[in-house]
Amino acid sequence: MARNMDRIVSGVDAKVVIIGCGISGLSAAHRLSKSGFQHVRILESTSRSGGRIKTGRLGDKVVEIGANWIHGPSEDNPVFCLARQYGLLDPEALTPENQAIDVGANPPWIHNVFSSSGRKLTSEEFDPAKEMFCTLLEESSEFHSGGGEPRASVGDFIRSEAKQQAAEKWKDVDENTRSLRMCVISNMMKEHCCVNGTHSMDEVGLGAYGLYKTLPGLDCTFPKGYEGLIENLMAELPSGLVTYNRPVRCVRWNNKDKRENTLTVECDDGERITADHVIITVPLGYLKKHCSALFSPPLPLHKLHSIQRLGFGTNNKIFVEFDSPWWDAECEVIHLVWEDEDDVVDQVPDLQRSWIKKLFGFTVLKPTERYGHVLCGWIAGHESEYMETLSEQEVTQSITQLVRRFTGNPTLTPKRILRSQWFHDPWTGGSYTFPGKGCSAQDLENMMEPLPTKGSQAQPLQVLFAGEATHPCYYSTVHGALLTGWREADRLISHYSSISPSLPKSNL
Ligand code: 6YU
């Protein structure tokens, strides 16, 4: 496990207010409280802890509305280490073999592939296209922003390379198979819109794509729900530390009026809370919309530009339960390939009529003994945001038509469905961060930089920034978010231990 500062700062009186009780706010509070900070408070806008870690129910089945997997469950992943410590994982996730598997961002899932004419595709039709796509995606990670990249976005790069390579490598393949393989590439693009939480791969910057780093370990889930992690961390905090239903409206920092406190947090209900330090953990989606109202004086320009340049899109899930499976017993992911998409597309032409075409397919909830026959459909982008506006009945109808068409079985009927609606969550505004076009490592540096910025004569470390969008290489993940909470707590612990003597302390 990542080590903490190994320090306890005896009885720090400083008042620390943390905005947001997701994993980053919680991990910051946890570390500060364990390190001798006596006045730590979390203000949370909703009635629950966890933020984008949110476990729900489909009938009697536990399903994840938000974060799904521990990405890279191995020794350097603090989420894995905590989950193991709290006894939250299945035995196979704990094995050294599982921790050693290194597949980068491509889990080796067993797939079934169906096409829009109701046919199951052969591996000859699917595998060469998948291989080409994966190679191009890997190449996309190798550019470093600096102007040398051949295209502005990952989408542009993959589309132009795929078309060129298909014409060369597959010139002897018959026209229909070649066209179908290009449709498979469109399907992969849509899948990666979900992985990246973006509307289109055309919005993901090619130069910055390689900033994201993976950890070894085959992704695993929490059998009783991701929220178990939140519950265990909450149980170790002093009671009453979190105030719920308390949205923050404005952080007034750098107040030069000597009669008032330098730093004040103003809540929606009008309450004003003075503090020595504020840790902001609100999602990037919220910041994009509200940063001009949330800070007074406004954030420095370089920070504002980075908030705009970084991307924050929507990835939603649609859980669908069936009485019996229509997929193979060993199948882990189902791809749905539209046969009219050989132009390498990841957006639909008409949202209202064809939003469902953006759903790339389903993952199968495993093991079957635990979940029965439940699929999780994945849909990203504006099509996903439009889906959120429909009634559950309308979504069910579209899903029913979709599976009937792709399987050629007109009797298939979902038993029940449940979908997420992250875009319309007023405190999130989408799902997670991706590097937009023109982004670089500097943007993530700017995101995490505390205020006032270096060189200022004002009281230091007034406003600190944590949350997944502030991690230099694990943005968009739970482990990234958790590490940023620890990072900002450690920043304050260092600050106070350079002022007051520190005592040694064992690990958390
Ligand atoms: C992961 C996964 N996963 C699926 C889906 C989603 C996300 N992630 P929080 O938002 O939690 O907390 C902020 C709080 O602030 C919140 O409670 C608010 O209510 C509150 N707040 C806001 N405004 C406020 C105000 N004004 N006043 C007071 N309070 C306020 N991560 O590790 N595994 O499987 C997935 C997935 C559908 C939506 C995910 C996953 C992302 C994580 O959920 C997320 O990063 C953290 O929970 C965020 O915690 P936080 O504390 O920062 O914010 C190659 C390559 C490509 C690169 N990308 C790889 C992508 C891999 C990511 N894949 C994710 C996939 C899924 C399926």
Side-chain angles (χ1 to χ4, degrees), residues 55-363:
T55 304
R57 301 231 159 223
L58 178 73
D60 59 351
K61 317 280 176 356
V62 170
V63 291
E64 303 293 357
I65 310 295
N68 218 70
W69 294 281
I70 301 181
H71 289 308
S74 51
E75 293 302 330
D76 285 340
N77 186 327
V79 173
F80 171 70
C81 294
L82 284 173
R84 176 174 61 187
Q85 182 187 318
Y86 295 139
L88 301 174
L89 300 178
D90 275 333
E92 61 188 309
L94 301 173
T95 61
E97 294 76 34
N98 198 81
Q99 292 178 51
I101 297 172
D102 199 350
V103 291
N106 288 311
W109 285 337
I110 299 170
H111 54 251
N112 281 177
V113 188
F114 295 88
S115 80
S116 49
S117 61
R119 211 161 57 77
K120 218 170 172 181
L121 296 196
T122 63
S123 36
E124 209 231 331
E125 287 163 321
F126 186 77
D127 294 355
K130 181 174 179 182
E131 214 169 281
M132 180 189 282
F133 181 85
C134 290
T135 307
L136 290 174
L137 203 62
E138 241 174 82
E139 287 174 20
S140 302
S141 294
E142 286 157 14
F143 297 103
H144 295 287
S145 37
E149 57 274 15
R151 302 271 170 171
S153 74
V154 176
D156 279 347
F157 175 70
I158 291 184
R159 187 175 301 105
S160 61
E161 286 292 311
K163 285 182 178 174
Q164 195 185 327
Q165 291 188 18
E168 290 162 13
K169 290 188 183 157
W170 299 338
K171 63 177 185 308
D172 299 328
V173 175
D174 74 85
E175 181 62 33
N176 287 345
T177 308
R178 197 167 60 214
S179 160
L180 196 54
R181 287 182 184 173
M182 298 311 273
C183 297
V184 169
I185 294 186
S186 296
N187 175 264
M188 302 267 129
M189 293 271 272
K190 290 185 235 170
E191 177 183 2
H192 281 266
C193 289
C194 295
V195 171
N196 287 276
T198 183
H199 170 56
S200 163
M201 293 304 283
D202 295 354
E203 293 182 5
V204 181
L206 185 57
Y209 187 65
L211 290 174
Y212 182 79
K213 298 282 174 273
T214 56
L215 289 165
L218 193 59
D219 290 2
C220 67
T221 54
F222 289 72
K224 293 196 175 134
Y226 227 126
E227 274 189 13
L229 177 67
I230 301 295
E231 283 155 19
N232 276 276
L233 284 169
M234 285 293 297
E236 292 175 6
L237 286 181
S239 66
L241 188 140
V242 186
T243 308
Y244 295 102
N245 301 309
R246 191 62 59 93
V248 168
R249 179 164 63 195
C250 185
V251 175
R252 300 190 184 280
W253 61 289
N254 229 6
N255 188 351
K256 304 242 166 52
D257 185 338
K258 290 277 176 249
R259 289 162 304 177
E260 286 190 50
N261 201 285
T262 314
L263 189 58
T264 312
V265 176
E266 199 177 297
C267 300
D268 252 8
D269 62 3
E271 191 191 354
R272 287 169 154 253
I273 300 164
T274 59
D276 297 296
H277 310 280
V278 175
I279 305 181
I280 311 285
T281 78
V282 303
L284 176 61
Y286 183 88
L287 269 186
K288 276 181 180 283
K289 236 177 164 174
H290 300 286
C291 66
S292 57
L294 191 60
F295 298 96
S296 175
L299 296 176
L301 269 183
H302 65 284
K303 230 176 167 57
L304 287 172
H305 286 152
S306 295
I307 289 172
Q308 295 315 327
R309 260 195 301 270
L310 280 164
F312 193 83
T314 306
N315 177 23
N316 272 312
K317 306 176 183 183
I318 308 175
F319 293 98
V320 194
E321 186 173 14
F322 291 90
D323 281 324
S324 54
W326 44 269
W327 51 94
D328 296 342
E330 70 280 7
C331 172
E332 293 168 296
V333 60
I334 298 168
H335 291 268
L336 303 179
V337 176
W338 288 86
E339 290 181 19
D340 59 351
E341 292 186 338
D342 62 359
D343 205 28
V344 190
V345 290
D346 61 10
Q347 303 169 60
V348 307
D350 175 353
L351 270 191
Q352 293 183 9
R353 283 188 44 212
S354 46
W355 65 269
I356 193 80
K357 288 181 82 175
K358 187 65 168 271
L359 188 139
F360 92 81
F362 301 95
T363 48

Side-chain angles (χ1 to χ4, degrees), residues 18-28 52 279-285 287 310 312 431-433 443-449 464-489 491:
I18 299 169
I19 304 180
C21 195
I23 189 74
S24 59
L26 207 44
S27 65
R52 281 170 277 170
I279 305 181
I280 311 285
T281 78
V282 303
L284 176 61
L287 269 186
L310 280 164
F312 193 83
S431 300
Y432 37 85
T433 302
D443 290 306
L444 293 150
E445 289 293 326
N446 291 348
M447 290 297 292
M448 74 178 88
E449 186 185 30
L464 299 93
F465 294 83
E468 55 91 8
T470 72
H471 197 281
C473 59
Y474 300 143
Y475 48 83
S476 75
T477 66
V478 174
H479 55 283
L482 185 142
L483 286 167
T484 64
W486 282 352
R487 179 190 69 211
E488 296 311 313
R491 207 189 286 278

